[in-house]
């Protein structure tokens, strides 16, 4: 994993999605002084290239002036190392002014849509779709690359075909994640997606992707197929992220990941103190994350997929159980289902009597149906 620092300007958000875990009203905003301290901290912390992702809450609540000042501070303050940026936003607050700032730094945008307007607004709130698409048009007009994440819930799983066709017809890249039990809801499991249903969804999307190769990209399937083929995870869910990924909250608190921000028990330090890696390693949160890693080594030691799964996301495994390690990511069931399916198909393709020949035949000579190797070998 490359070095990745997530900056959380606020946990506030103008939306109020039904299943969201982070939309705290009256959440403070990160100051430019905190950005300056991030720079001073990283000067002594690590000297390799770093990607900064602005996340939240809704990071655009920080406003144009914040980004106009923060971005050059990070780039110039950490010269000569290579700096890259990204942002995850619902796009409601994107203005031409902010878009121009982002375009200057070639910042890719991640946003969220749960599918067609009616379904999306049922889950995320009335008017969400229109506000997000309005921001999307501004981003496109300024040459910014936008990709959407779709949250599949216990409700929207019933409309998986509609959601897939929405992305196909719109020419959008599909990235998804399953809805987790909400930490703020009296009925936390209301929207949560059952792990077995999630596994079935991933296999369904694998088939739909193969049926429509060249017309759509399903990022999760790309990542999973390449993980199986290379023997290592390619996204944070499936790697040992501790030590390479950190998040900085609005007050400068340092956490293992953005998903832990706002949970005091997971603070490892503060950028104002300029902690070293050794300092962070003394925190209870750091020790807990490494205990999880050791647990995975034992609990998943005999699993064929351990090298490119690593027990899934620590947050999913630890936070719902009040910080106690009682198992791996509950979506292990889903991961195993799709990894088994991919592995089986790869083996079938590679070791069939004509498998190797088919890999290198011209497309016109191959069967009409694409195979797993077409995903693994495609250019990204």
């Amino acid at each position: 994993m490359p070095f990745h620092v997530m900056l959380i300007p606020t946990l506030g958000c103008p939306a109020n999605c039904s299943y969201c875990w982070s939309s705290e009203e009256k959440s403070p905003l990160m100051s430019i002084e905190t950005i300056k301290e991030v720079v001073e901290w990283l000067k002594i912390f690590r000297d390799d290239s770093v990607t900064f992702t602005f996340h939240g809450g809704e990071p655009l609540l920080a406003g144009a002036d914040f980004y106009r000042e923060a971005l050059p501070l990070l780039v110039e303050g950490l010269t000569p190392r290579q700096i890259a940026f990204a942002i995850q936003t619902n796009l409601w607050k994107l203005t031409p002014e902010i878009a121009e700032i982002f375009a200057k730094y070639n910042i890719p945008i991640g946003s969220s849509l749960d599918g067609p307007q009616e379904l999306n607004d049922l889950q995320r709130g009335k008017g969400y779709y229109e506000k997000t698409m309005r921001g999307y048009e501004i981003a496109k007009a300024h040459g910014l690359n936008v990709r959407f994440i779709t949250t599949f819930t216990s409700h929207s799983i019933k409309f998986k075909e509609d959601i897939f066709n929405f992305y196909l017809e719109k020419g959008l890249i599909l990235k998804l994640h399953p809805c987790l039990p909400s930490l703020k809801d009296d009925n936390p499991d209301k929207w949560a997606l059952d792990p077995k249903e999630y596994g079935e969804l991933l296999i369904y999307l694998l088939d739909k992707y193969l049926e429509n190769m060249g017309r759509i990209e399903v990022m999760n399937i790309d990542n999973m197929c390449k993980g199986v083929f290379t023997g290592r995870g390619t996204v944070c869910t499936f790697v040992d992220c501790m030590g390479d990924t950190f998040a900085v909250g609005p007050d400068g608190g340092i956490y293992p990941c953005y998903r832990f921000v706002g949970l005091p028990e997971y603070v490892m330090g503060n950028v104002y103190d300029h902690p070293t890696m050794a300092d962070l390693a003394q925190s209870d949160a750091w020790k807990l994350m490494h205990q999880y890693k050791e647990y995975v080594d034992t609990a998943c030691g005999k699993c064929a997929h351990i090298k490119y799964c690593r027990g899934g996301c620590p947050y999913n495994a630890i936070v719902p159980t009040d910080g106690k390690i009682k198992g791996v990511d509950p979506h292990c069931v889903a991961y195993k289902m799709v990894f088994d399916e991919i592995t089986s198909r790869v083996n079938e393709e590679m070791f069939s009597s004509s498998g190797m020949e088919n890999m290198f035949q011209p497309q016109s000579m191959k069967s009409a149906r694409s195979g797993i190797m077409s995903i693994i070998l495609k250019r990204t």
Side-chain angles (χ1 to χ4, degrees):
M1 282 287 291
F3 186 31
H4 188 194
V5 176
M6 301 177 177
L7 300 175
I8 316 302
T10 180
L11 288 175
C13 181
N16 189 27
C17 301
S18 302
Y19 49 77
C20 186
W21 50 269
S22 177
S23 56
E24 297 181 12
E25 295 182 8
K26 301 180 181 178
S27 175
L29 290 172
M30 181 179 285
S31 68
I32 286 297
E33 188 60 37
T34 299
I35 294 293
K36 293 177 181 177
E37 292 299 329
V38 168
V39 171
E40 295 306 311
W41 168 52
L42 292 180
K43 283 180 180 178
I44 64 168
F45 189 70
R46 284 177 63 156
D47 62 2
D48 46 344
S49 300
V50 56
T51 297
F52 291 102
T53 297
F54 293 93
H55 215 297
E58 175 44 62
L60 291 186
L61 288 174
D65 290 342
F66 173 83
Y67 289 101
R68 185 179 292 110
E69 193 169 354
L71 297 174
L73 278 172
L74 292 165
V75 171
E76 296 164 14
L78 295 171
T79 299
R81 71 180 84 182
Q82 185 178 352
I83 305 298
F85 295 108
I87 188 167
Q88 182 68 31
T89 165
N90 63 24
L91 291 171
W92 292 14
K93 299 293 183 179
L94 186 68
T95 63
E97 181 182 12
I98 295 176
E100 286 178 12
I101 297 170
F102 289 175
K104 180 179 178 181
Y105 291 90
N106 194 29
I107 299 179
I109 296 174
S111 192
S112 299
L113 278 180
D114 288 353
Q117 184 170 359
E118 183 177 354
L119 177 60
N120 177 87
D121 287 4
L122 174 68
Q123 296 190 162
R124 290 185 170 269
K126 187 176 181 180
Y128 185 108
Y129 183 93
E130 288 187 0
K131 292 175 184 176
T132 293
M133 294 308 288
R134 190 181 307 130
Y136 175 58
E137 294 302 325
I138 293 173
K140 282 203 306 180
H142 287 81
L144 296 170
N145 180 25
V146 181
R147 295 182 175 184
F148 292 99
I149 297 176
T150 287
T151 299
F152 276 85
T153 68
S154 57
H155 175 72
S156 66
I157 189 69
K158 304 166 190 171
F159 305 96
K160 60 187 178 184
E161 184 174 2
D162 294 332
I163 294 171
F164 181 85
N165 288 336
F166 169 82
Y167 275 87
L168 184 65
E169 292 163 8
K170 292 282 186 182
L172 300 173
I173 294 170
L174 174 58
K175 183 179 180 182
L176 64 137
H177 64 69
C179 182
L180 298 164
S182 174
L183 297 180
K184 70 172 189 177
D185 199 301
D186 293 335
N187 183 11
D189 294 320
K190 177 181 178 181
W191 296 95
L193 185 62
D194 176 78
K196 186 174 183 294
E197 283 192 298
Y198 181 39
E200 292 168 348
L201 170 66
L202 290 171
I203 294 172
Y204 167 82
L205 290 174
L206 172 62
D207 284 330
K208 295 295 289 185
Y209 192 7
L210 292 173
E211 289 171 12
N212 294 277
M213 282 295 294
R215 299 178 61 204
I216 192 171
E217 179 180 345
V218 184
M219 291 181 65
N220 304 64
I221 302 302
D222 277 343
N223 293 328
M224 289 174 169
C225 288
K226 288 174 182 176
V228 170
F229 192 69
T230 62
R232 61 183 179 86
T234 59
V235 290
C236 65
T237 302
F238 302 125
V239 298
D240 292 324
C241 56
M242 195 62 189
D244 287 313
T245 297
F246 298 93
V248 179
D251 64 350
I254 302 169
Y255 298 80
C257 170
Y258 80 96
R259 300 177 77 181
F260 294 95
V261 175
L263 301 174
E265 61 270 35
Y266 293 99
V267 176
M268 298 186 296
N270 195 290
V271 297
Y272 283 84
D273 299 324
H274 305 163
T276 64
M277 194 79 80
D279 293 331
L280 298 184
Q282 298 304 309
S283 67
D284 290 341
W286 178 287
K287 294 173 183 176
L288 180 62
M289 295 289 284
H290 279 272
Q291 287 170 13
Y292 177 73
K293 177 180 177 179
E294 293 168 2
Y295 176 84
V296 169
D297 287 336
T298 301
C300 305
K302 295 182 180 180
C303 178
H305 310 300
I306 184 173
K307 289 184 179 180
Y308 45 83
C309 178
R310 294 301 308 160
C313 177
Y315 175 93
N316 293 354
I318 296 171
V319 172
T321 56
D322 296 322
K324 297 178 177 62
I325 301 174
K326 297 182 178 180
V328 296
D329 184 336
H331 288 112
C332 167
V333 173
Y335 305 148
K336 190 173 188 304
M337 287 172 65
V338 70
F339 284 140
D340 280 347
E341 185 71 18
I342 292 169
T343 302
S344 174
R345 295 193 192 189
V346 167
N347 289 337
E348 182 180 340
E349 289 175 33
M350 291 192 69
F351 299 111
S352 66
S353 59
S354 59
M356 294 304 293
E357 291 91 336
N358 285 340
M359 283 175 58
F360 300 104
Q361 282 180 1
Q363 187 63 43
S364 59
M365 296 176 63
K366 297 180 185 179
S367 63
R369 181 181 176 83
S370 298
I372 296 293
M373 294 306 298
S374 62
I375 297 177
I376 292 170
L377 296 176
K378 79 180 185 70
R379 293 180 179 179
T380 56

